Amino acid sequence: MVSRYPSSTISSRRVVVVQSDPDARERLVAYLKKEGIDVFSVASALELYSLLSQEEFALAVIADDLADQRGLVVARFLKRNTSLSSIMLIGAVTPKARLAAYNAGALACFVTPVECAEFSVLIGNLLEKGVAEGRGEAALASQLQFGGGEWKLLRNGWVLVGPGGAMVKLTIKEFEFMSILASSKEMAVPRSTLMEHMEYRNDIHGHKALEAVVHRLRMKAEKAGGQLIETAHGVGWGFSSVVTLV
């Protein structure tokens, strides 16, 4: 279950805590709330992915021992597919563990249970940095909203922006599909490549799941500005217009 602990601060001070242990999660959330931070909390990687399709954050605090997926895998995904920064919570901060966390994209590592005073200082510093960056992102979003003549795919928030500036939110799988096509140098990306990168099984269920993603994206693209995804029969899919990954 997703929990939100609101405060009166600006949205750029939003943090999401990803921790399966309910006691540890509540303790950390309560401390951050006292510091005036707008805190969301989730218990699993799956809940985080779902939440990120609806909300935006300045920072993610991720425990490595999640019930459904390693926190390092989550941090690596955020690094590759979003602009969201992360902090890792691990059982023992050894040089090897720190290196693994940093390679996954984490800005810092803390051993659990967390020493809240030190932790809150780091969070505060990172959020202050994020406030300045957020203003730049807001300016970019404002420009995009009023048009620009081309399609854009925003990592921050998983948003597809149409040529006229209309925006639609994407799910994690929809964003993965779009980012693979946007990053490809080929006219069309093979179905097999998409299946592999999106971690769908090579069976009827996996193929149907992929086709469902394409169907939803075509409907969303229509809302954002028109037809965008074309079928390359016998191969896979490609874009009918240039899409810039921002």
Side-chain angles (χ1 to χ4, degrees):
M1 176 181 291
V2 178
S3 299
R4 182 183 182 186
Y5 301 79
S7 74
S8 59
T9 54
I10 58 177
S11 60
S12 58
R13 289 179 63 82
R14 273 184 166 185
V15 173
V16 57
V17 175
V18 192
Q19 168 67 268
S20 295
D21 183 330
D23 293 333
R25 185 173 67 248
E26 291 300 318
R27 174 177 174 268
L28 192 55
V29 163
Y31 196 92
L32 293 176
K33 182 184 176 185
K34 289 180 181 178
E35 296 298 309
I37 296 170
D38 192 358
V39 189
F40 283 62
S41 73
V42 293
S44 68
L46 182 60
E47 289 180 355
L48 173 66
Y49 297 148
S50 176
L51 181 63
L52 289 179
S53 68
Q54 307 169 41
E55 305 285 349
E56 295 182 13
F57 300 93
L59 189 65
V61 178
I62 309 167
D64 190 38
D65 58 344
L66 297 176
D68 59 342
Q69 192 173 55
R70 287 286 305 279
L72 287 174
V73 175
V74 178
R76 192 175 299 116
F77 173 84
L78 296 180
K79 177 184 179 181
R80 292 175 177 174
N81 298 289
T82 78
S83 61
L84 181 60
S85 300
S86 63
I87 293 177
M88 287 298 305
L89 306 180
I90 55 183
V93 184
T94 64
K96 183 178 180 180
R98 280 200 305 268
L99 182 59
Y102 297 149
N103 283 333
L107 300 179
C109 291
F110 278 80
V111 66
T112 53
V114 174
E115 204 292 305
C116 289
E118 178 186 355
F119 184 77
S120 66
V121 171
L122 176 63
I123 293 287
N125 289 342
L126 291 174
L127 290 178
E128 286 302 319
K129 180 176 183 294
V131 167
E133 293 177 347
R135 294 193 186 103
E137 291 169 357
L140 173 61
S142 176
Q143 293 173 6
L144 292 172
Q145 189 171 4
F146 289 99
E150 63 182 55
W151 292 87
K152 291 182 174 64
L153 183 63
L154 308 186
R155 292 185 177 92
N156 187 25
W158 304 348
V159 176
L160 177 65
V161 185
M167 298 182 179
V168 290
K169 281 275 192 179
L170 306 180
T171 66
I172 177 176
K173 287 299 185 182
E174 292 167 357
F175 177 83
E176 283 183 324
F177 181 95
M178 296 293 282
S179 63
I180 292 169
L181 264 62
S183 302
S184 176
K185 297 180 180 179
E186 304 297 329
M187 292 294 293
V189 178
R191 175 187 288 261
S192 59
T193 299
L194 290 159
M195 296 281 288
E196 179 182 355
H197 281 277
M198 296 175 69
E199 299 182 347
Y200 283 132
R201 293 180 300 176
N202 188 22
D203 58 20
I204 188 171
H205 301 293
H207 285 282
K208 285 186 175 180
L210 178 60
E211 289 165 4
V213 169
V214 176
H215 176 70
R216 293 197 306 269
L217 280 169
R218 281 181 166 148
M219 294 179 64
K220 289 186 177 183
E222 284 287 344
K223 292 181 179 179
Q227 296 183 357
L228 178 61
I229 300 172
E230 291 188 338
T231 300
H233 295 287
V235 180
W237 293 274
F239 288 141
S240 59
S241 302
V242 175
V243 177
T244 303
L245 190 58
V246 180

